[in-house]
């Protein structure tokens, strides 16, 4: 969605796309490290999984709320810098939470009795099936206008 929200502001060149993907992957790596850190503590997974799930929903709403504030200065920058700022504003925080949840779900599968290999395989299959299902759903869904995502509320 990040790529559709800021397309009116920055040209879709391969370098800009590479920067966006790098920021998202860096966010997921940071989140994975945080998830491992959460897991190393004494607080059980019964707390961390619902907490990160709730935090991801709240954080996503906040990121969309802040997005218009990030776009205003970003449009005065170059395409690469502007795409970096908007991707950090909208995608990086949710990618961090996603990385943490991925790690914590894998740990929950492992603590449920699955071997590390089996837990990783189940998690990879579920992630791939979810991505494929989303692609099929979006293919049959009519294209929605995205301009309401970056308009500042009155």
């Amino acid at each position: 969605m990040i790529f559709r929200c800021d397309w009116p502001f920055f040209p879709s060149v391969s370098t800009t796309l590479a920067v966006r993907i790098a920021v998202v992957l860096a966010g997921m790596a940071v989140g994975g490290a945080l998830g491992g850190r959460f897991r190393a503590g004494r607080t059980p997974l019964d707390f961390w999984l619902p907490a990160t799930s709730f935090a991801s929903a709240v954080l996503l709403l906040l990121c969309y709320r802040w997005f218009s504030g990030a776009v205003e200065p970003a449009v005065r920058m170059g395409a690469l810098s502007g795409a970096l700022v908007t991707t950090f504003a909208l995608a990086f925080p949710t990618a961090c939470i996603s990385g943490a949840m991925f790690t914590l779900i894998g740990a929950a599968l492992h603590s449920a009795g699955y071997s590390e290999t089996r837990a990783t395989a189940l998690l990879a299959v579920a992630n791939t099936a979810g991505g494929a299902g989303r692609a099929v759903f979006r293919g049959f869904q009519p294209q929605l206008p995205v301009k309401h995502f970056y308009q500042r509320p009155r």
Side-chain angles (χ1 to χ4, degrees):
M1 191 65 199
I2 177 67
F3 308 131
R4 290 186 64 209
C5 286
D6 66 358
W7 69 264
F9 306 108
F10 309 110
S12 181
V13 297
S14 59
T15 307
T16 305
L17 180 63
V19 167
R20 292 174 179 167
I21 291 172
V23 169
V24 169
L25 291 176
M28 293 176 82
V30 168
L34 289 174
R37 186 87 166 130
F38 294 156
R39 183 66 183 124
R42 296 178 192 254
T43 309
L45 283 171
D46 294 345
F47 170 78
W48 284 118
L49 279 173
T52 54
S53 181
F54 179 75
S56 68
V58 171
L59 190 60
L60 180 65
L61 291 173
L62 290 174
C63 286
Y64 276 119
R65 178 78 174 132
W66 296 328
F67 186 64
S68 61
V71 167
E72 288 177 19
V75 295
R76 291 186 283 279
M77 301 175 181
L80 201 57
S81 301
L84 187 65
V85 167
T86 56
T87 305
F88 262 109
L90 186 60
F92 188 80
T94 53
C96 285
I97 293 288
S98 176
M101 285 184 65
F102 198 81
T103 301
L104 293 171
I105 292 170
L109 286 171
H110 181 61
S111 67
Y114 292 104
S115 69
E116 290 176 358
T117 305
R118 179 87 170 148
T120 303
L122 288 172
L123 195 55
V125 166
N127 190 42
T128 304
R134 179 189 171 275
V136 169
F137 173 74
R138 289 291 295 164
F140 291 108
Q141 182 183 13
Q143 292 298 319
L144 300 173
V146 296
K147 64 181 176 180
H148 64 276
F149 288 120
Y150 54 83
Q151 289 179 339
R152 186 175 288 268
R154 293 180 172 42

